Amino acid sequence: MDTINEEVRSEIEQIASGKLSTKDHLSSVVTRQRERLMQLLYAPMQRIAALTSQTTHASEQPLGYRSSLDALLMEVFPSVPYAKYLYIMDRNGVQFSSSMSREGLIVEHFGRDRSDRPYMREALSVANFLDRNRETCYQQWPYLGDHTQAVDFLLCEAYISQNALRPSMTAICFLRDPQGIHIGFLGADFALRDLPPIEGLYEDKRRSWHFSPTNQRDQVRQISRLDREIYTVISVLEELITFRGVYHFKIHFSSSQTVVWQMDDPYRYRIIGVTDLLDPDSCLAYPNRSYPEQAIIQPRDIRLVLERMEALRRSDNPIYLRSCSLNIFNGMVGTSFSSDGSYYIPYDDFLKADCFG
């Protein structure tokens, strides 16, 4: 353990001194992408937040002047690049406006309680902290690339959207009255696939990996972390395949690891650990790519294949799925079972319920 800590410490020192490039680390690429997005979104979101605060202050009932708020959202929506939805909430996370989208206002979103969504849990936690620590509140906001502080602005962690089941991200601005009292939030939702592409592809660091199944000795199926959060895994992999250039993957269920091959760098595979695989932000480390016309499997069928793999994994059959793979160019699904039996099957046959008879 001491050796490992010393290696990590040495690596950090090399990065700090410029001797080791941070491009070798997926998390570093994600961090830089988030910094770029903050730089892009902060100014327009702050302008809209100021206008929103003025509008609500002019109303007799704070955050209750719905028609004015909706009109404001319609006017300013084009100024927020890549936004999918724009809306206003009270300080409890309940929506006090319609949602503005590219297709127009969604009036049925008025009154929607967003307090249980991942981004609002994050924003409400920050709001509660600031209420208790007013004297240090300005020390908590991140800095932009030009060394200005992004006060009252959060670019929340990526999450899987509730309806579309795709990796998404929300930017939050705090709304304040003329006395500086927090009165609500301005929210902007983004689909990760719509955000500006990165240049290049992160390089996986060459190192040794060792993954062991949960129970090697008696080969009894154990529920892994990947199994417990499989629906996040499905959404992240679907995003990587349909919009991020991944054309081949292999999932090892017991050890919770996934190996992917990407079209920009087809000769080398990348190992994605379960922590990164369960973090939708990881998609930001892969460049946006159009789905290849040469692929045999259609984009709409990717999720169906992934869900079929999940169904086989949780089957009550004593012979259970250990690993599976998919290559979109030859349309083949590979599976390996606890009986040491392996199959390679055209994806359309794989989707049939009786494919393993």
Side-chain angles (χ1 to χ4, degrees):
M1 183 62 71
D2 291 340
T3 302
I4 294 175
N5 288 339
E6 188 61 37
E7 290 174 355
V8 172
R9 188 180 304 111
S10 174
E11 187 171 299
I12 292 173
E13 291 173 354
Q14 291 181 68
I15 292 172
S17 66
K19 296 179 181 178
L20 183 64
S21 171
T22 58
K23 71 180 181 179
D24 291 337
H25 305 278
L26 183 148
S27 60
S28 298
V29 178
V30 170
T31 298
R32 291 201 299 274
Q33 274 294 86
R34 289 179 60 85
E35 289 172 351
R36 287 178 58 194
L37 293 171
M38 286 181 61
Q39 193 81 25
L40 183 68
L41 298 173
Y42 176 65
M45 290 284 288
Q46 281 292 84
R47 284 194 294 269
I48 297 171
L51 292 171
T52 302
S53 296
Q54 293 172 13
T55 300
T56 56
H57 179 60
S59 171
E60 295 180 359
Q61 197 173 21
L63 291 179
Y65 202 10
R66 180 182 177 185
S67 60
S68 294
L69 295 177
D70 285 358
L72 174 63
L73 292 178
M74 292 177 66
E75 179 183 349
V76 300
F77 182 79
S79 68
V80 184
Y82 309 104
K84 192 173 182 64
Y85 302 108
L86 193 65
Y87 47 88
I88 298 162
M89 298 165 287
D90 67 15
R91 60 177 290 120
N92 297 313
V94 177
Q95 195 162 328
F96 261 84
S97 73
S98 302
S99 292
M100 184 61 195
S101 71
R102 297 164 192 169
E103 291 74 36
L105 284 173
I106 307 175
V107 296
E108 56 267 28
H109 282 187
F110 176 78
R112 183 179 180 184
D113 186 352
R114 295 179 178 264
S115 61
D116 64 338
R117 300 299 294 135
Y119 51 90
M120 282 313 300
R121 290 199 298 268
E122 186 176 345
L124 290 168
S125 175
V126 171
N128 290 333
F129 173 82
L130 296 181
D131 285 343
R132 297 192 307 270
N133 301 272
R134 292 180 183 275
E135 69 281 359
T136 60
C137 65
Y138 283 97
Q139 300 174 18
Q140 309 307 317
W141 303 107
Y143 283 85
L144 303 176
D146 58 0
H147 304 295
T148 59
Q149 203 168 16
V151 176
D152 282 343
F153 178 85
L154 293 174
L155 185 61
C156 298
E157 299 295 325
Y159 57 91
I160 303 302
S161 63
Q162 201 167 33
N163 295 323
L165 299 178
R166 64 183 55 157
S168 303
M169 183 178 288
T170 294
I172 296 288
C173 266
F174 284 51
L175 303 178
R176 300 188 183 276
D177 67 13
Q179 288 72 45
I181 303 300
H182 173 222
I183 59 173
F185 303 93
L186 169 70
D189 292 347
F190 306 85
L192 261 58
R193 62 188 60 174
D194 295 337
L195 294 173
I198 64 170
E199 296 298 328
L201 182 67
Y202 84 94
E203 297 180 15
D204 217 1
K205 182 181 177 182
R206 291 186 70 238
R207 53 181 167 172
S208 297
W209 296 78
H210 175 69
F211 304 122
S212 297
T214 307
N215 193 326
Q216 279 185 312
R217 186 169 60 181
D218 55 15
Q219 302 298 306
V220 173
R221 174 172 45 182
Q222 300 288 333
I223 302 301
S224 66
R225 184 181 175 192
L226 190 151
D227 288 319
R228 291 194 298 271
E229 303 187 54
I230 187 63
Y231 292 107
T232 297
V233 172
I234 288 173
S235 292
V236 169
L237 282 176
E238 182 187 24
E239 176 81 8
L240 292 177
I241 296 165
T242 53
F243 289 92
R244 305 281 174 171
V246 169
Y247 68 91
H248 187 158
F249 71 83
K250 184 170 185 177
I251 303 174
H252 298 275
F253 285 100
S254 296
S255 59
S256 294
Q257 310 302 323
T258 299
V259 184
V260 300
W261 287 258
Q262 212 269 354
M263 288 186 289
D264 287 33
D265 190 16
Y267 300 114
R268 289 180 285 192
Y269 58 76
R270 285 166 171 76
I271 300 173
I272 307 179
V274 65
T275 300
D276 289 327
L277 192 61
L278 293 174
D279 181 4
D281 268 326
S282 297
C283 296
L284 295 173
Y286 292 79
N288 301 47
R289 292 293 178 262
S290 300
Y291 194 79
E293 295 180 359
Q294 306 94 318
I296 289 180
I297 183 171
Q298 296 301 306
R300 63 177 179 272
D301 291 329
I302 297 296
R303 190 175 191 90
L304 295 177
V305 170
L306 289 165
E307 290 175 343
R308 175 67 176 138
M309 291 175 176
E310 186 270 334
L312 285 173
R313 173 64 180 173
R314 60 179 170 82
S315 170
D316 292 334
N317 194 315
I319 299 176
Y320 59 88
L321 185 66
R322 280 183 171 170
S323 65
C324 56
S325 64
L326 173 67
N327 185 299
I328 65 173
F329 288 111
N330 61 21
M332 297 295 288
V333 175
T335 58
S336 176
F337 291 87
S338 57
S339 63
D340 293 328
S342 298
Y343 298 81
Y344 287 90
I345 312 161
Y347 83 92
D348 43 355
D349 290 338
F350 178 75
L351 289 175
K352 297 176 182 177
D354 59 349
C355 65
F356 294 101

